[in-house]
Amino acid sequence: MATSAVRAAIEAHGHELVLEAVRTVLQRLRLELGSGVLSVPDEKDIVAKVNRELDRVTTPNLKPVFNLTGTIVHTNLGRAPLPEEAIEAICRVARQPSNLEYDLVLGKRGDRDSHVEEWICRLSGAEAATVVNNNAAAVMLVLNTLAARKEVPVSRGELIEIGGSFRLPAIMSRAGVKLREVGTTNRTHAKDFEEAISAKTGLVLKVHTSNYEVQGFTAAVAESKLAAIAHKHNLPFVVDLGAGALVDLAQFGLPHEQTVGETLKSGADLVTFSGDKLLGGPQAGLIAGSADLIKALKKNPMKRAMRCDKLTLAALEAVLRLHANPSMLVRQSPMLRQLARARDDIERLAKELQPRFAERLAGYATVRVAHTTSQIGSGARPIDRLQSAALVVTPVGQRREAAHRLNVILRALRDLPIPILGRVASGALWLDMRTLEETEGFCRQLNSLVLNEEDGGGQS
Ligand SMILES: *Cc1c(COP(=O)(O)O)cnc(C)c1O
């Protein structure tokens, strides 16, 4: 700790962090010395190891990656990349105080939802709207506010699980409502709902089957029909839309995804949807619909525990504003731009990068360009695929050696300053080029690629 080199590190990182690094390094050296692997290193060596350990500890853990998995809105990789306008909006309110909950016209306390509510209403035709942390919270808030200690009928074909932790039956029970299953896995009819509704019913719920599709001999009750049944019994009809597009994606050459406005028109009293799925914004849960019901949601103390912070609201406001002009939106929203990208364009990029990549891996793996398909991800159009092109990295060698080499390559790509992530299929690594926009950064990563033979033990 007293050597001059370490004293400089203390100045930069603080005493505690450096002390911890020194102890970690010395402990490791003692173990290695004890097992006779190593002779006693000199001071310079030890200091270098301490600095490496400090580098490791102080590099940000949460960092950008290249998502070349072919799933565009990838929940594990942070979902939608934000438009520049949203990033600027975040920075503006991050730097200094804002009118988050202060009404500048009336000169008194304001409502943080007000910055986005008008936009959500304008874009969906809703009377009122509110926002919470994510769509899971939105569903929970709606259920708890409108149906606590009551029953909620849901079709057995819609008891969804989204990526591990969102399971509808579990969310319902934690919201304090009783799930009343109706119909069957493949077929649910209007009369199933009619029979399930009683004095104990709190609301009628329809859930978008976001990440699967039931095909074959199927039947579901149309939203307008469900709305009529709910309204006949004076019950709110709620649709958990999940992805929630505010504009028609067909105008960008994409498969049509039911919009929030269409869902409200078909009779839903409330619609819940995510801010970071097809909206291409920050993580948030948006709730749009009738003014009375939104008012009730806002009075629930749960809303306070689920409210969004100023950074999210700033980004969301910017993203909603961009939606007012769909013809520009497809250029401004990185998510939509990537979704709408034509295969020719993607293939051209793949062909341009192929020689460089092939040269880096020469003798170790081959790199070719191949057609593939991307998926939207995050529960939007689960079975539709978009035509795309990929760089396919196939390790050279017999089975075992090739498998080992594939692991070495995957590990090396994960170890890059900006890690490159793809998907593995039949012994090769597929890098879907649809989502690659920052070509220069990608090439810089390739240039610093180091294959380490001892690293082959990792997970593929
Ligand atoms: C994605 C999804 C959710 C959960 O939304 P988050 O924003 O991830 O919390 C809930 N319901 C449906 C139908 C979904 O598709």
Side-chain angles (χ1 to χ4, degrees), residues 79 134-136 160 162 166 207-208 210 240 242-243 274 276-277:
R79 290 199 184 155
N134 52 28
N135 190 37
I160 61 164
I162 307 274
F166 184 92
V207 185
H208 186 59
S210 291
D240 175 21
S274 281
D276 54 355
K277 289 183 179 172

Side-chain angles (χ1 to χ4, degrees), residues 15 36 53 119 143 167 187 231 246 265 267 296 304 316 333-334 355 418 440 446 457:
H15 184 268
E53 174 65 10
W119 280 113
L143 290 169
R167 306 183 91 193
R187 290 173 72 82
H231 295 156
L246 280 172
K265 261 207 197 100
R304 173 63 175 76
L316 188 58
S333 159
I418 304 178
E440 265 175 49
L446 286 189

